[in-house]
């Protein structure tokens, strides 16, 4: 059985686990489980919403757009329902090979889901990027839900006008007005998504919040800290890979990661004067990786120049992306 293959336990009499009786001898409510894809343009707030729905950090959040590169799955328990949320890369006009891989990943995630949530920054409304998504959305034959985010930053009259306009363009089955950052409206959205999940055994253990391997999550955490520290100086062409994850006899974890950049000048930026920048990045990343791994972490970062890493199929496999040819 693979690491994430659903487990179907049964009682001694052969009854599936989800059909057992509760402590009072009453039949348990039927379990539900399914997938919900979060799509939208870059910086709409998908990662912030995913983390808010899960109640823990499972996706990279940055001021820089296009920071989510692969499909990140967060697992939400709501009553007897398990919602597997898929945070897709932002959908935008792709210019490079990496861009094309990210956009392909986003639409693939939408096509495979039980429901699609289109998240829109209410302040920006139906701009050109959003309209591009709206034109293609009817091709995906899945229930569609509209979510307007950052509603605390826009006048109510404009908000209602935007809701009417968007629903006229695409027939959404439901509309939610939220502030992912503040948590406003998130609980109602969670309940509504749970009600939409099809009858099914749970796909993951009840206490699991993500299907991302810790090695990948650790690399994403470090990448986020690079963006936080160097969001002006360093372009997108950097990535992080976890090379070693060694559990030591005392229970602590030794982690070695490599930060790949494309030019020596970028390597100097990441290192900083006397290594101060990479030291600060490592300290910030270690704190969050320690929390995710629930163990003491010894983190060692290396910076390597690898020209044209964004054209290397191996780097795409490491990120969980399909390498686009042509």
């Amino acid at each position: 059985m693979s690491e994430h293959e659903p487990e179907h336990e049964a009682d001694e009499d052969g009854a599936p686990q989800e059909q057992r009786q509760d402590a009072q001898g009453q039949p348990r409510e039927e379990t539900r489980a399914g997938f919900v894809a979060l799509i939208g343009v870059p910086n709409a707030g998908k990662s912030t919403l995913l983390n808010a729905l899960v109640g823990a950090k499972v996706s990279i959040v940055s001021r820089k757009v296009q920071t989510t590169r692969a499909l990140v799955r967060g697992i939400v328990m709501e009553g007897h329902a398990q919602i597997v949320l898929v945070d897709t890369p932002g959908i935008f006009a792709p210019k490079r090979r990496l861009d094309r891989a990210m956009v392909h990943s986003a639409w693939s995630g939408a096509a495979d889901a039980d429901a699609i949530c289109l998240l829109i920054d209410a302040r920006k409304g139906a701009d050109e990027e959003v309209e591009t998504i709206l034109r293609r959305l009817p091709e995906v034959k899945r229930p569609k839900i509209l979510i307007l985010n950052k509603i605390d930053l826009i006048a109510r009259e404009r908000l209602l006008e935007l809701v009417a306009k968007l629903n006229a363009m695409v027939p959404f089955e439901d509309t939610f007005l939220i502030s992912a950052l503040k948590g406003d409206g998130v609980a109602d959205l969670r309940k509504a998504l749970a009600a939409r999940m099809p009858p099914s055994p749970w796909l993951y253990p009840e206490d699991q919040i993500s299907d991302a391997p810790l090695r990948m999550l650790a690399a994403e955490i470090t990448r986020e800290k690079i963006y936080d520290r160097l969001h002006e100086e360093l372009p997108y062409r950097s990535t992080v890979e976890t090379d070693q994850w060694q559990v030591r006899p005392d229970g602590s974890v030794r982690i070695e990661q490599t930060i790949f950049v494309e030019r020596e000048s970028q390597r100097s930026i990441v290192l900083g004067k006397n290594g101060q920048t990479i030291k600060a990045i490592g300290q910030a990343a270690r704190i969050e990786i320690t929390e995710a791994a629930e163990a003491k972490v010894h983190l060692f970062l290396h910076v390597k120049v690898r020209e044209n890493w964004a054209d290397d199929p191996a780097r795409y496999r490491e990120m969980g992306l399909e390498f686009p040819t042509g």
Side-chain angles (χ1 to χ4, degrees):
M1 181 179 290
S2 66
E3 183 180 355
H4 302 305
E5 190 175 339
E7 297 183 17
H8 296 172
E9 294 184 7
D11 287 333
E12 292 180 4
D13 63 0
Q17 186 180 30
E18 69 271 14
Q19 294 176 358
R20 291 184 300 185
Q21 296 177 333
D22 62 19
Q24 286 72 44
Q26 298 299 315
R28 279 189 177 173
E29 188 175 327
E30 186 177 39
T31 58
R32 295 175 172 271
F35 292 84
V36 174
L38 300 177
I39 67 170
V41 303
N43 249 13
K46 297 185 303 300
S47 296
T48 302
L49 176 58
L50 177 71
N51 293 338
L53 286 166
V54 173
K57 182 170 183 172
V58 294
S59 187
I60 180 173
V61 177
S62 172
R63 289 171 288 179
K64 258 195 154 171
V65 299
Q66 299 166 23
T67 47
T68 299
R69 285 179 174 166
L71 300 180
V72 178
R73 292 183 179 90
I75 302 159
V76 179
M77 296 301 304
E78 178 65 32
H80 294 273
Q82 186 177 72
I83 312 161
V84 184
L85 293 160
V86 183
D87 177 21
T88 65
I91 298 173
F92 53 99
K95 299 181 178 66
R96 304 164 298 158
R97 177 175 267 134
L98 178 59
D99 296 343
R100 295 202 303 275
M102 290 161 63
V103 171
H104 175 76
S105 179
W107 283 112
S108 296
D112 293 339
D114 293 292
I116 301 170
C117 289
L118 173 61
L119 188 66
I120 294 176
D121 182 337
R123 298 172 305 171
K124 296 180 180 179
D127 60 13
E128 186 176 340
E129 287 183 308
V130 169
E131 289 191 356
T132 299
I133 296 175
L134 290 169
R135 283 194 292 271
R136 182 169 174 181
L137 203 52
E139 299 173 14
V140 185
K141 305 303 181 184
R142 293 288 185 273
K144 302 168 187 69
I145 298 166
L146 174 64
I147 305 173
L148 292 184
N149 190 24
K150 308 178 186 179
I151 60 167
D152 51 316
L153 304 176
I154 181 175
R156 183 167 180 80
E157 296 74 24
R158 280 188 55 204
L159 196 58
L160 296 177
E161 290 174 7
L162 182 58
V163 169
K165 177 181 178 180
L166 292 168
N167 275 277
M169 297 174 75
V170 172
F172 291 98
E173 296 194 6
D174 216 338
T175 299
F176 289 87
L177 310 179
I178 69 164
S179 169
L181 189 60
K182 293 186 175 181
D184 297 341
V186 172
D188 290 340
L189 174 61
R190 189 187 297 115
K191 288 185 176 65
L193 293 178
R196 285 185 173 275
M197 295 300 95
S200 165
W202 292 337
L203 305 173
Y204 295 91
E206 187 176 356
D207 59 351
Q208 190 170 332
I209 62 171
S210 175
D211 76 341
L214 275 173
R215 292 173 66 105
M216 183 180 290
L217 182 58
E220 286 292 276
I221 288 171
T222 300
R223 189 161 66 93
E224 179 184 57
K225 300 313 170 190
I226 294 170
Y227 284 153
D228 285 349
R229 185 88 182 186
L230 302 170
H231 66 280
E232 297 294 342
E233 298 97 323
L234 195 69
Y236 292 111
R237 296 203 167 209
S238 63
T239 192
V240 180
E241 293 181 11
T242 301
D243 306 311
Q244 184 183 103
W245 185 289
Q246 181 183 16
V247 180
R248 296 165 56 157
D250 63 358
S252 65
V253 183
R254 176 189 171 91
I255 302 171
E256 292 198 23
Q257 294 180 330
T258 299
I259 302 166
F260 289 105
V261 294
E262 289 196 312
R263 295 191 297 275
E264 186 62 40
S265 60
Q266 296 171 358
R267 182 175 182 272
S268 299
I269 290 172
V270 176
L271 291 173
K273 187 176 181 180
N274 299 323
Q276 290 301 305
T277 301
I278 195 168
K279 182 180 179 182
I281 290 168
Q283 287 175 339
R286 181 177 54 79
I287 292 169
E288 287 201 16
I289 296 172
T290 296
E291 186 176 332
E294 297 181 340
K296 185 177 181 180
V297 167
H298 308 276
L299 179 63
F300 299 88
L301 299 179
H302 311 280
V303 187
K304 292 184 180 179
V305 177
R306 179 167 292 177
E307 293 183 11
N308 301 319
W309 70 259
D311 295 323
D312 181 356
R315 304 282 77 78
Y316 285 71
R317 286 194 296 271
E318 185 71 24
M319 289 185 282
L321 292 172
E322 184 178 322
F323 183 74
T325 57

